[in-house]
Amino acid sequence: DPSAGNIAYYIAKNNRYPLYNDSAIEYYPDASEGLEAQLKELAKAEKFIFMEYHAIENAESWGRIQKVLEARHAAGVEVRVFYDDMGSIGFVNTDFAKQLQSKGIQCQVFNPFKFGLNTFLNNRDHRKITVIDGKVGFTGGYNLANEYFNISSPYGKWKDTGIKITGPAVRSLTVTFLEMWTAVNNSKANDYDVDKYLPQLAPADNAEGYIMPYSVNPLYGKHIGEDVYISMLNKATDYCWFSTPYLILSDELLHAMNLAARRGVDVRIITPGIPDKKLVYRVTRSFYPPLVKNYVRIYEWSPGFDHAKMSIADDKMATCGTINLDYRSLYHHFENGCFFYGSKAVADMKADFENTFSQS
């Protein structure tokens, strides 16, 4: 399929992440389903667990995870946890990392917040990654805080999604984690020996379609996340749908959406019905007129806050990850995503989109 092949070629050429046809992917339309699957796989860990998240809240949901992490550490499993300091402000106290370390869990904080010195909100670690033994990986839109699983409800009901990857494609998530961990590691330990974390795996039993995890690094000068979205719009012939909590578009992405819609492609965007940040919500809505007048359709999810970051086109290709349709996410944050093609997960995502449209 040249349309999907061109996008895969772009990622491989410009982002150095390979394409896999020997792995499996499962889509979760609800973050709670993703969390339950994660807990189940974490309990099976035998060698190592890597977790990298923009936000962790020291509350019930994280408590369930930490209990499993402590048990696996006691069984000899290497456990590393990495979180963004700005993303977790208000969720954890300043000695949270030390508390985890006292339990035998290696923990690092990305870009620690220092009031008056780095109050800017850019160049944050916005990734969401879990890797278990290099065999199973999770990513998606949800952080590890209660609101993502509707335990607390500050903005109505919360909508988020995720994926599980099984098989050799997990190697890309492992490398993404180790790249960031090593970049900020203050210890003298040799973290460059990555081979021991990249096991040679047989194809997954339920391998299907093509899977391509990738990362976004704002220091590289290439806007991989935005380029993948634009490429899907440019290649779509029937439809291209998006879900995003924030809509603050570059001129390039705005033009690509409008051009696709004027070309006859069914372009739709789902945004929140209840905002988490009122000022940002006003900016999001300010982008509606130039889109709608060019036949782009916008849906606001009535039950609450839609935090999912994903796109699907023509019943065959999709992306799911951490990349919002806003300028900071597209240009200034460390992000990650997964492009996939020709799998049941694509159909499952489409069904979720259609269900979400009906609630919007």
Side-chain angles (χ1 to χ4, degrees):
D1 184 334
S3 59
N6 286 160
I7 298 174
Y9 178 85
Y10 168 81
I11 296 171
K13 184 74 172 178
N14 295 278
N15 200 228
R16 302 298 185 183
Y17 279 85
L19 178 69
Y20 296 87
N21 66 348
D22 52 6
S23 302
I25 186 167
E26 184 173 353
Y27 173 76
Y28 300 108
D30 184 272
S32 297
E33 294 180 24
L35 177 62
E36 295 305 321
Q38 239 169 298
L39 288 165
K40 183 178 178 180
E41 295 295 339
L42 287 168
K44 300 177 184 177
E46 298 177 346
K47 295 182 179 179
F48 66 88
I49 295 170
F50 296 158
M51 303 187 77
E52 177 181 353
Y53 284 83
H54 179 64
I56 295 176
E57 180 184 17
N58 193 11
E60 291 89 342
S61 297
W62 172 254
R64 296 178 65 197
I65 294 171
Q66 184 174 329
K67 183 177 180 181
V68 176
L69 298 184
E70 290 180 21
R72 297 323 299 153
H73 167 70
V77 174
E78 177 185 359
V79 182
R80 302 189 195 185
V81 174
F82 191 36
Y83 64 91
D84 184 87
D85 198 32
M86 179 72 75
S88 297
I89 281 182
F91 283 152
V92 299
N93 55 32
T94 55
D95 63 350
F96 179 70
K98 293 180 179 179
Q99 292 175 17
L100 293 183
Q101 290 164 355
S102 71
K103 304 290 186 180
I105 298 170
Q106 299 179 57
C107 184
Q108 292 195 113
V109 182
F110 180 80
N111 200 1
F113 178 79
K114 296 178 182 178
F115 185 76
L117 294 178
N118 61 345
T119 55
F120 55 86
L121 300 178
N122 296 331
N123 297 129
R124 307 311 310 186
D125 184 355
H126 196 241
R127 296 171 178 171
K128 289 94 177 169
I129 295 172
T130 291
V131 175
I132 300 146
D133 292 341
K135 300 177 180 179
V136 180
F138 292 85
T139 190
Y142 60 89
N143 288 296
L144 304 180
N146 278 353
E147 61 194 34
Y148 293 83
F149 311 111
N150 285 296
I151 295 174
S152 60
S153 301
Y155 314 109
K157 190 175 180 181
W158 194 285
K159 167 69 177 176
D160 227 322
T161 62
I163 54 174
K164 178 176 79 172
I165 302 171
T166 307
V170 177
R171 293 167 65 93
S172 293
L173 292 179
T174 306
V175 168
T176 298
F177 174 90
L178 288 173
E179 176 190 39
M180 190 70 87
W181 178 276
T182 303
V184 302
N185 190 8
N186 293 320
S187 74
K188 296 181 180 179
N190 180 14
D191 280 323
Y192 291 94
D193 182 15
V194 300
D195 289 343
K196 62 182 178 180
Y197 302 111
L198 300 173
Q200 297 297 321
L201 302 177
D205 292 338
N206 53 342
E208 181 187 26
Y210 294 85
I211 301 172
M212 200 170 198
Y214 59 95
S215 71
V216 176
N217 185 327
L219 306 181
Y220 286 168
K222 296 178 180 177
H223 311 305
I224 305 297
E226 181 184 46
D227 287 347
V228 170
Y229 286 147
I230 289 175
S231 296
M232 291 181 66
L233 283 160
N234 289 343
K235 298 297 182 180
T237 58
D238 183 15
Y239 71 88
C240 191
W241 299 340
F242 295 88
S243 175
T244 182
Y246 314 114
L247 189 67
I248 306 173
L249 303 175
S250 65
D251 289 343
E252 292 81 2
L253 189 48
L254 179 64
H255 175 73
M257 286 185 170
N258 287 336
L259 178 59
R262 291 198 304 266
R263 219 173 59 231
V265 177
D266 177 10
V267 180
R268 306 186 193 184
I269 307 169
I270 300 173
T271 63
I274 300 176
D276 67 334
K277 303 175 181 68
K278 292 184 179 180
L279 178 60
V280 177
Y281 192 55
R282 291 175 65 182
V283 177
T284 287
R285 284 185 152 187
S286 75
F287 278 86
Y288 290 4
L291 289 164
V292 171
K293 74 178 183 180
N294 285 288
Y295 317 114
V296 175
R297 288 191 278 178
I298 299 172
Y299 293 73
E300 292 184 343
W301 188 60
S302 302
F305 187 63
D306 172 36
H307 191 256
K309 308 100 163 36
M310 55 186 186
S311 179
I312 185 173
D314 294 351
D315 287 357
K316 57 185 179 181
M317 54 185 170
T319 63
C320 183
T322 70
I323 309 165
N324 298 322
L325 292 179
D326 74 73
Y327 202 85
R328 281 170 49 204
S329 191
L330 296 169
Y331 282 78
H332 295 303
H333 287 345
F334 295 87
E335 307 275 5
N336 74 281
C338 184
F339 177 70
F340 50 101
Y341 172 92
S343 64
K344 181 178 179 295
V346 177
D348 291 342
M349 180 184 285
K350 183 182 183 183
D352 185 33
F353 261 107
E354 290 174 332
N355 182 57
T356 308
F357 290 142
S358 73
Q359 300 171 353
S360 303

